[in-house]
Amino acid sequence: MPSGDGLVLRIRPPLGRLTQAQGHGIAELAARYSHPLLDLTSRANLQLRGIAEADYPALLAGLQALGLIDTDINAESRRNLLVSPFWEAGDGTPALARLLVEALGQPIAPTLPAKFGFALDCGPTPVLRGCSADIRLERHAQGFLVYANGSTRGMAASAECAIERAMELAHWFITAGGASFGRGRMAALVAQTPVPAHMASTPVPATHAACPPWGLVPQGCVVGFEFGQMPVDTLRALSALSPLRLTPWRSVLVEGAQSVPALPTLITHVDDVRLRVSACTGAPGCTQAAAPTRDLAHALAPLVPPSHRLHVSGCRKGCAHPDAALTLVATPTGFDLVQHGTAASPPDARDLNQAAIAAHLKQLAHAPHL
Ligand code: SF4
């Protein structure tokens, strides 16, 4: 898709995993054809930006050679599944993912809205409940639990039947009127129309909201990057170590790593001040932005109190706005500050410059309840 600084290209790796050859290959292609910072997305995809129209065919051919292009566009757009990065060898997750992709590619598969997605959350405990998905599959005493997002009950299923049950739910979504003009989400349907009793025989167990882990975990090492942007050289270096699993928290799990990779700029700890700020693309990458966003967010990060999150938005549209306590919105005359709202909320202060914002954050550090 076009953007302010050239084309943006999104790669949706199978299983959210890049083999070492794919990671290395993408790094080579990005170094040649795109901006040197690669965006990780909240759908565990990888985005290259700043691509010239003239380079697009060669880039596409390179990705095809790496096995990262689906045979047809429908297959790619239907393959909207998020896989927990914490799967273990032998736990059946890759096989389940392949079966689901196969089922979604069948001619009898329902035509689902573009944003409709599946979460394969089959690690020891569910970690994807905070991530957008419409049909969820989780591990359960009887094998798997398959349920509609927004419902408190689902169907227990064996590994052999789990995908069949998931497709049954997808068909129900369509026949119950969940989709209209290519739009619609499961939670909205479930709020109006309860899931049929035979698809809701088993309660969904409550779990604590999972905080995304950083650093060493049993499956390897989770590393992050400022603003979820991975430098090409870092992708190259990490891919030399092992395959990489992309996470929906805009980080990467270095598969099987037993120590933190010795590379500069990696985020490996939850207390890293860079995790307290986020920013949309801003200028010049987005043509709608009134100002650059990331330089300001970077400068302000050390001033944000640990209990707060600050988001800097290039305009009032507020793309990918997280649940931030503070939002700065760029305007032609400075930055507006919104407390506990969205980028479109009425501002609490207008036309601030960096010094005024810094003063506000320092005040907040002494009165964090504000
Ligand atoms: S919030 Fe505005 S400036 Fe930021 S990426 Fe979206 S449209 Fe562009």
Side-chain angles (χ1 to χ4, degrees), residues 280-283 286-290 313-319:
C280 75
T281 303
C286 177
T287 49
Q288 295 177 56
S313 185
C315 77
R316 289 170 66 79
K317 193 171 167 194
C319 298

Side-chain angles (χ1 to χ4, degrees), residues 296-335:
L296 179 65
H298 173 85
L300 295 173
L303 302 176
V304 179
S307 54
H308 283 64
R309 294 289 173 273
L310 171 74
H311 180 70
V312 185
S313 185
C315 77
R316 289 170 66 79
K317 193 171 167 194
C319 298
H321 189 285
D323 190 13
L326 297 167
T327 305
L328 291 168
V329 185
T331 71
T333 50
F335 281 86

Side-chain angles (χ1 to χ4, degrees), residues 109-180:
T111 303
L112 297 164
K115 292 203 168 161
F116 193 99
F118 295 75
L120 282 190
D121 201 359
C122 305
T125 49
V127 291
L128 299 179
R129 289 193 182 174
C131 302
S132 171
D134 296 272
I135 295 178
R136 299 181 182 275
L137 288 89
E138 295 176 1
R139 200 158 289 281
H140 183 266
Q142 291 173 43
F144 294 91
L145 182 67
V146 184
Y147 66 97
N149 190 48
S151 174
T152 55
R153 303 181 73 85
M155 298 173 265
S158 63
E160 293 72 34
C161 299
I163 297 305
E164 218 176 295
R165 297 286 89 83
M167 295 308 291
E168 225 178 281
L169 257 180
H171 278 289
W172 171 76
F173 172 79
I174 295 296
T175 51
S180 162

